[in-house]
Amino acid sequence: MVDRLANSEANARRINVVEGCFGTAGQPLAIDGRVLIGEGVLTKLCRKKPKARQFFLFNDILVYGNIVIQKKKYNKQHIIPLENVTIDSIQDEGDLRNGWLIKTPTKSFAVYAATATEKSEWMNHINKCVYDLISKSGKTPNNEHAAVWIPDSEAPTCMRCKKVKFTPVNRRHHCRKCGFVVCGPCSEKKFLLPNQASKAVRVCDFCYERLSNGDLPACLPGRSDSLSSSPQMSHQMSDDDDDDSSD
């Protein structure tokens, strides 16, 4: 089906509409062989709170952006190559239901669909696109991903020293390796994580020591997998498009 639609006029029109919705600030999306598989609004768990984002699934990339005018205009376009994506289902918890993690070497975050059926469809389509890409390229599936950031609301105190309480003066910071919410004194050091940035980024003292000693590879997943054993940590997020900060 994808091959049949690849160079069709209908597909070209649909992609052109998506490009137009992002305006001149967005990158061009039309290339030979690219097909728009589907689109929809998902709730993305951002650093401060969950927010609605418009997602577009193509056969080779996942695109999302802020909704400026419902179904008409979007900004802050993000493009994620699907060959680098892995996804994991998230258990329902409270108001956060029908979710899954989108994990890549540079960024990982959680999204939530409106219904279980919608979640299943999104995950099935994403997995199919990733499988097809990997099969055609002959590459091995990606097993590296950035840590999923823990939301600010999950950490009233530093997750490393367990002492510092966060206030407007004592600000929250995120370790780029493990995703923990930490205080300034526990995250004064930086380390180069090539998959995430071209310059050294903030890491907590625990990860810095392990990275420096070679106990924790800079290009492999951090300890975000250890968080899944804690129910309240199952809905996590990453630095992102709207409430970004350098911390």
Side-chain angles (χ1 to χ4, degrees):
M1 178 180 176
V2 170
D3 292 337
R4 186 174 72 250
L5 292 173
N7 297 308
S8 69
E9 291 185 8
N11 179 63
R13 287 196 298 269
R14 293 177 69 197
I15 295 179
N16 186 60
V17 169
V18 176
E19 285 185 346
C21 289
F22 281 101
T24 56
Q27 297 184 36
L29 299 172
I31 63 171
D32 288 343
R34 177 168 290 164
V35 175
L36 179 59
I37 305 296
E39 60 185 89
V41 177
L42 298 174
T43 298
K44 182 176 181 297
L45 203 60
C46 299
R47 175 174 182 176
K48 300 297 183 182
K49 61 181 180 180
K51 295 186 177 181
R53 294 287 178 261
Q54 181 74 25
F55 281 77
F56 301 92
L57 177 63
F58 296 83
N59 59 327
D60 62 334
I61 58 175
L62 182 66
V63 179
Y64 70 92
N66 295 10
I67 301 171
V68 181
I69 301 175
Q70 185 67 26
K71 295 185 178 180
K72 292 184 179 180
K73 295 294 180 182
Y74 314 106
N75 65 6
K76 296 186 178 179
Q77 182 192 68
H78 293 256
I79 300 177
I80 302 174
L82 283 179
E83 64 180 14
N84 295 327
V85 168
T86 56
I87 58 176
D88 288 325
S89 181
I90 303 174
Q91 290 186 348
D92 293 344
E93 183 182 346
D95 293 333
L96 294 173
R97 307 178 65 82
N98 310 314
W100 67 97
L101 294 176
I102 296 175
K103 302 186 295 185
T104 79
T106 58
K107 175 182 292 190
S108 302
F109 54 90
V111 292
Y112 295 84
T115 67
T117 299
E118 186 179 342
K119 169 186 174 177
S120 178
E121 290 177 349
W122 270 100
M123 292 189 69
N124 288 339
H125 284 307
I126 292 173
N127 276 327
K128 178 65 164 57
C129 290
V130 173
Y131 175 81
D132 288 346
L133 282 171
I134 296 298
S135 298
K136 289 180 180 179
S137 67
K139 297 180 180 179
T140 57
N142 174 60
N143 62 354
E144 301 178 6
H145 61 84
V148 185
W149 281 25
I150 294 173
D152 289 358
S153 60
E154 297 287 352
T157 59
C158 175
M159 298 180 68
R160 286 303 182 195
C161 69
K162 313 290 186 181
K163 298 176 181 178
V164 175
K165 293 184 178 181
F166 295 121
T167 67
V169 176
N170 293 324
R171 297 178 55 204
R172 290 173 172 83
H173 304 275
H174 277 84
C175 172
R176 299 308 198 268
K177 187 60 181 175
C178 67
F180 275 25
V181 185
V182 291
C183 64
C186 285
S187 59
E188 292 178 338
K189 299 179 178 65
K190 295 185 177 182
F191 200 91
L192 179 62
L193 303 178
N195 285 337
Q196 296 190 39
S198 58
K199 59 181 181 180
V201 293
R202 181 187 293 271
V203 294
C204 68
D205 290 349
F206 176 80
C207 288
Y208 181 83
E209 182 177 354
R210 297 192 68 199
L211 287 163
S212 299
N213 293 336
D215 297 331
L216 193 63
C219 292
L220 290 176
R223 297 180 58 85
S224 60
D225 54 333
S226 67
L227 304 180
S228 60
S229 60
S230 174
Q232 59 264 53
M233 297 306 175
S234 63
H235 49 280
Q236 302 164 345
M237 50 77 62
S238 74
D239 181 25
D240 194 302
D241 39 324
D242 46 359
D243 22 333
D244 266 1
S245 75
S246 60
D247 301 317

PDB file of all heavy atoms in Angstrom, residues 82-86 105 130-131 133-144:
ATOM      1  N   LEU A  82      12.400   7.577  11.860  1.00  0.00           N
ATOM      2  CA  LEU A  82      11.804   6.390  12.461  1.00  0.00           C
ATOM      3  C   LEU A  82      12.794   5.237  12.625  1.00  0.00           C
ATOM      4  O   LEU A  82      12.604   4.381  13.489  1.00  0.00           O
ATOM      5  CB  LEU A  82      10.617   5.919  11.624  1.00  0.00           C
ATOM      6  CG  LEU A  82       9.325   6.720  11.770  1.00  0.00           C
ATOM      7  CD1 LEU A  82       8.246   6.141  10.861  1.00  0.00           C
ATOM      8  CD2 LEU A  82       8.840   6.727  13.212  1.00  0.00           C
ATOM      9  N   GLU A  83      13.845   5.212  11.826  1.00  0.00           N
ATOM     10  CA  GLU A  83      14.780   4.091  11.941  1.00  0.00           C
ATOM     11  C   GLU A  83      15.514   4.111  13.286  1.00  0.00           C
ATOM     12  O   GLU A  83      16.110   3.115  13.686  1.00  0.00           O
ATOM     13  CB  GLU A  83      15.788   4.099  10.798  1.00  0.00           C
ATOM     14  CG  GLU A  83      16.709   5.295  10.761  1.00  0.00           C
ATOM     15  CD  GLU A  83      17.686   5.237   9.613  1.00  0.00           C
ATOM     16  OE1 GLU A  83      17.487   4.408   8.702  1.00  0.00           O
ATOM     17  OE2 GLU A  83      18.653   6.008   9.625  1.00  0.00           O
ATOM     18  N   ASN A  84      15.460   5.266  13.994  1.00  0.00           N
ATOM     19  CA  ASN A  84      16.097   5.364  15.300  1.00  0.00           C
ATOM     20  C   ASN A  84      15.112   5.182  16.457  1.00  0.00           C
ATOM     21  O   ASN A  84      15.488   5.303  17.622  1.00  0.00           O
ATOM     22  CB  ASN A  84      16.773   6.739  15.458  1.00  0.00           C
ATOM     23  CG  ASN A  84      17.922   6.928  14.494  1.00  0.00           C
ATOM     24  OD1 ASN A  84      18.614   5.983  14.153  1.00  0.00           O
ATOM     25  ND2 ASN A  84      18.118   8.160  14.043  1.00  0.00           N
ATOM     26  N   VAL A  85      13.850   4.908  16.138  1.00  0.00           N
ATOM     27  CA  VAL A  85      12.796   4.892  17.157  1.00  0.00           C
ATOM     28  C   VAL A  85      12.533   3.491  17.690  1.00  0.00           C
ATOM     29  O   VAL A  85      12.494   2.518  16.938  1.00  0.00           O
ATOM     30  CB  VAL A  85      11.486   5.482  16.574  1.00  0.00           C
ATOM     31  CG1 VAL A  85      10.305   5.207  17.498  1.00  0.00           C
ATOM     32  CG2 VAL A  85      11.631   6.979  16.347  1.00  0.00           C
ATOM     33  N   THR A  86      12.356   3.406  19.005  1.00  0.00           N
ATOM     34  CA  THR A  86      11.769   2.235  19.629  1.00  0.00           C
ATOM     35  C   THR A  86      10.631   2.724  20.517  1.00  0.00           C
ATOM     36  O   THR A  86      10.676   3.846  21.028  1.00  0.00           O
ATOM     37  CB  THR A  86      12.778   1.442  20.482  1.00  0.00           C
ATOM     38  OG1 THR A  86      13.349   2.314  21.472  1.00  0.00           O
ATOM     39  CG2 THR A  86      13.879   0.870  19.632  1.00  0.00           C
ATOM     40  N   PRO A 105      17.908   8.000  20.276  1.00  0.00           N
ATOM     41  CA  PRO A 105      19.201   8.309  20.891  1.00  0.00           C
ATOM     42  C   PRO A 105      19.304   9.751  21.385  1.00  0.00           C
ATOM     43  O   PRO A 105      20.072  10.030  22.306  1.00  0.00           O
ATOM     44  CB  PRO A 105      20.196   8.053  19.748  1.00  0.00           C
ATOM     45  CG  PRO A 105      19.506   7.055  18.881  1.00  0.00           C
ATOM     46  CD  PRO A 105      18.058   7.440  18.922  1.00  0.00           C
ATOM     47  N   VAL A 130       8.834   1.201  11.263  1.00  0.00           N
ATOM     48  CA  VAL A 130      10.212   0.963  11.704  1.00  0.00           C
ATOM     49  C   VAL A 130      10.715  -0.370  11.155  1.00  0.00           C
ATOM     50  O   VAL A 130      11.840  -0.464  10.642  1.00  0.00           O
ATOM     51  CB  VAL A 130      10.301   0.975  13.245  1.00  0.00           C
ATOM     52  CG1 VAL A 130      11.707   0.558  13.699  1.00  0.00           C
ATOM     53  CG2 VAL A 130       9.960   2.358  13.792  1.00  0.00           C
ATOM     54  N   TYR A 131       9.883  -1.402  11.232  1.00  0.00           N
ATOM     55  CA  TYR A 131      10.273  -2.725  10.726  1.00  0.00           C
ATOM     56  C   TYR A 131      10.587  -2.671   9.228  1.00  0.00           C
ATOM     57  O   TYR A 131      11.602  -3.226   8.780  1.00  0.00           O
ATOM     58  CB  TYR A 131       9.151  -3.730  10.989  1.00  0.00           C
ATOM     59  CG  TYR A 131       9.418  -5.099  10.400  1.00  0.00           C
ATOM     60  CD1 TYR A 131      10.233  -6.017  11.059  1.00  0.00           C
ATOM     61  CD2 TYR A 131       8.850  -5.457   9.169  1.00  0.00           C
ATOM     62  CE1 TYR A 131      10.483  -7.266  10.511  1.00  0.00           C
ATOM     63  CE2 TYR A 131       9.104  -6.705   8.625  1.00  0.00           C
ATOM     64  CZ  TYR A 131       9.915  -7.605   9.289  1.00  0.00           C
ATOM     65  OH  TYR A 131      10.169  -8.842   8.732  1.00  0.00           O
ATOM     66  N   LEU A 133      11.507  -0.078   7.439  1.00  0.00           N
ATOM     67  CA  LEU A 133      12.728   0.691   7.198  1.00  0.00           C
ATOM     68  C   LEU A 133      13.967  -0.138   7.494  1.00  0.00           C
ATOM     69  O   LEU A 133      14.922  -0.148   6.707  1.00  0.00           O
ATOM     70  CB  LEU A 133      12.736   1.955   8.064  1.00  0.00           C
ATOM     71  CG  LEU A 133      11.889   3.133   7.610  1.00  0.00           C
ATOM     72  CD1 LEU A 133      11.855   4.202   8.699  1.00  0.00           C
ATOM     73  CD2 LEU A 133      12.433   3.735   6.316  1.00  0.00           C
ATOM     74  N   ILE A 134      13.952  -0.822   8.637  1.00  0.00           N
ATOM     75  CA  ILE A 134      15.102  -1.636   9.020  1.00  0.00           C
ATOM     76  C   ILE A 134      15.310  -2.778   8.032  1.00  0.00           C
ATOM     77  O   ILE A 134      16.436  -3.113   7.652  1.00  0.00           O
ATOM     78  CB  ILE A 134      14.921  -2.192  10.445  1.00  0.00           C
ATOM     79  CG1 ILE A 134      14.869  -1.044  11.468  1.00  0.00           C
ATOM     80  CG2 ILE A 134      16.033  -3.160  10.794  1.00  0.00           C
ATOM     81  CD1 ILE A 134      16.123  -0.223  11.533  1.00  0.00           C
ATOM     82  N   SER A 135      14.214  -3.382   7.593  1.00  0.00           N
ATOM     83  CA  SER A 135      14.312  -4.495   6.649  1.00  0.00           C
ATOM     84  C   SER A 135      14.920  -4.051   5.326  1.00  0.00           C
ATOM     85  O   SER A 135      15.758  -4.762   4.740  1.00  0.00           O
ATOM     86  CB  SER A 135      12.918  -5.097   6.407  1.00  0.00           C
ATOM     87  OG  SER A 135      12.379  -5.628   7.596  1.00  0.00           O
ATOM     88  N   LYS A 136      14.515  -2.879   4.854  1.00  0.00           N
ATOM     89  CA  LYS A 136      15.022  -2.387   3.565  1.00  0.00           C
ATOM     90  C   LYS A 136      16.478  -1.949   3.654  1.00  0.00           C
ATOM     91  O   LYS A 136      17.254  -2.147   2.723  1.00  0.00           O
ATOM     92  CB  LYS A 136      14.159  -1.218   3.086  1.00  0.00           C
ATOM     93  CG  LYS A 136      12.767  -1.626   2.637  1.00  0.00           C
ATOM     94  CD  LYS A 136      11.964  -0.422   2.181  1.00  0.00           C
ATOM     95  CE  LYS A 136      10.562  -0.834   1.737  1.00  0.00           C
ATOM     96  NZ  LYS A 136       9.750   0.352   1.302  1.00  0.00           N
ATOM     97  N   SER A 137      16.848  -1.343   4.772  1.00  0.00           N
ATOM     98  CA  SER A 137      18.207  -0.815   4.904  1.00  0.00           C
ATOM     99  C   SER A 137      19.219  -1.883   5.305  1.00  0.00           C
ATOM    100  O   SER A 137      20.425  -1.736   5.063  1.00  0.00           O
ATOM    101  CB  SER A 137      18.232   0.312   5.944  1.00  0.00           C
ATOM    102  OG  SER A 137      17.966  -0.195   7.246  1.00  0.00           O
ATOM    103  N   GLY A 138      18.726  -2.958   5.945  1.00  0.00           N
ATOM    104  CA  GLY A 138      19.639  -3.993   6.416  1.00  0.00           C
ATOM    105  C   GLY A 138      20.345  -3.623   7.703  1.00  0.00           C
ATOM    106  O   GLY A 138      21.223  -4.357   8.176  1.00  0.00           O
ATOM    107  N   LYS A 139      19.985  -2.490   8.298  1.00  0.00           N
ATOM    108  CA  LYS A 139      20.604  -2.065   9.542  1.00  0.00           C
ATOM    109  C   LYS A 139      20.066  -2.876  10.711  1.00  0.00           C
ATOM    110  O   LYS A 139      18.992  -3.472  10.633  1.00  0.00           O
ATOM    111  CB  LYS A 139      20.330  -0.572   9.792  1.00  0.00           C
ATOM    112  CG  LYS A 139      20.920   0.355   8.750  1.00  0.00           C
ATOM    113  CD  LYS A 139      20.593   1.804   9.080  1.00  0.00           C
ATOM    114  CE  LYS A 139      21.181   2.753   8.049  1.00  0.00           C
ATOM    115  NZ  LYS A 139      20.840   4.170   8.347  1.00  0.00           N
ATOM    116  N   THR A 140      20.825  -2.879  11.791  1.00  0.00           N
ATOM    117  CA  THR A 140      20.338  -3.532  13.001  1.00  0.00           C
ATOM    118  C   THR A 140      19.426  -2.579  13.758  1.00  0.00           C
ATOM    119  O   THR A 140      19.646  -1.362  13.736  1.00  0.00           O
ATOM    120  CB  THR A 140      21.513  -3.936  13.914  1.00  0.00           C
ATOM    121  OG1 THR A 140      22.296  -2.764  14.219  1.00  0.00           O
ATOM    122  CG2 THR A 140      22.387  -4.964  13.238  1.00  0.00           C
ATOM    123  N   PRO A 141      18.401  -3.093  14.417  1.00  0.00           N
ATOM    124  CA  PRO A 141      17.491  -2.219  15.169  1.00  0.00           C
ATOM    125  C   PRO A 141      18.227  -1.414  16.222  1.00  0.00           C
ATOM    126  O   PRO A 141      19.182  -1.885  16.839  1.00  0.00           O
ATOM    127  CB  PRO A 141      16.512  -3.215  15.818  1.00  0.00           C
ATOM    128  CG  PRO A 141      16.576  -4.431  14.958  1.00  0.00           C
ATOM    129  CD  PRO A 141      17.989  -4.509  14.469  1.00  0.00           C
ATOM    130  N   ASN A 142      17.798  -0.183  16.418  1.00  0.00           N
ATOM    131  CA  ASN A 142      18.432   0.692  17.383  1.00  0.00           C
ATOM    132  C   ASN A 142      18.137   0.231  18.810  1.00  0.00           C
ATOM    133  O   ASN A 142      17.005  -0.078  19.156  1.00  0.00           O
ATOM    134  CB  ASN A 142      17.906   2.124  17.207  1.00  0.00           C
ATOM    135  CG  ASN A 142      18.426   3.060  18.281  1.00  0.00           C
ATOM    136  OD1 ASN A 142      19.624   3.231  18.410  1.00  0.00           O
ATOM    137  ND2 ASN A 142      17.519   3.640  19.053  1.00  0.00           N
ATOM    138  N   ASN A 143      19.181   0.160  19.638  1.00  0.00           N
ATOM    139  CA  ASN A 143      18.971  -0.194  21.042  1.00  0.00           C
ATOM    140  C   ASN A 143      19.526   0.866  21.983  1.00  0.00           C
ATOM    141  O   ASN A 143      19.735   0.626  23.164  1.00  0.00           O
ATOM    142  CB  ASN A 143      19.596  -1.560  21.366  1.00  0.00           C
ATOM    143  CG  ASN A 143      21.102  -1.565  21.172  1.00  0.00           C
ATOM    144  OD1 ASN A 143      21.683  -0.597  20.702  1.00  0.00           O
ATOM    145  ND2 ASN A 143      21.747  -2.667  21.516  1.00  0.00           N
ATOM    146  N   GLU A 144      19.792   2.054  21.422  1.00  0.00           N
ATOM    147  CA  GLU A 144      20.285   3.162  22.219  1.00  0.00           C
ATOM    148  C   GLU A 144      19.199   4.227  22.317  1.00  0.00           C
ATOM    149  O   GLU A 144      18.527   4.530  21.336  1.00  0.00           O
ATOM    150  CB  GLU A 144      21.540   3.765  21.595  1.00  0.00           C
ATOM    151  CG  GLU A 144      22.694   2.778  21.438  1.00  0.00           C
ATOM    152  CD  GLU A 144      23.899   3.403  20.773  1.00  0.00           C
ATOM    153  OE1 GLU A 144      23.876   4.632  20.543  1.00  0.00           O
ATOM    154  OE2 GLU A 144      24.856   2.674  20.474  1.00  0.00           O
TER     155      GLU A 144
END
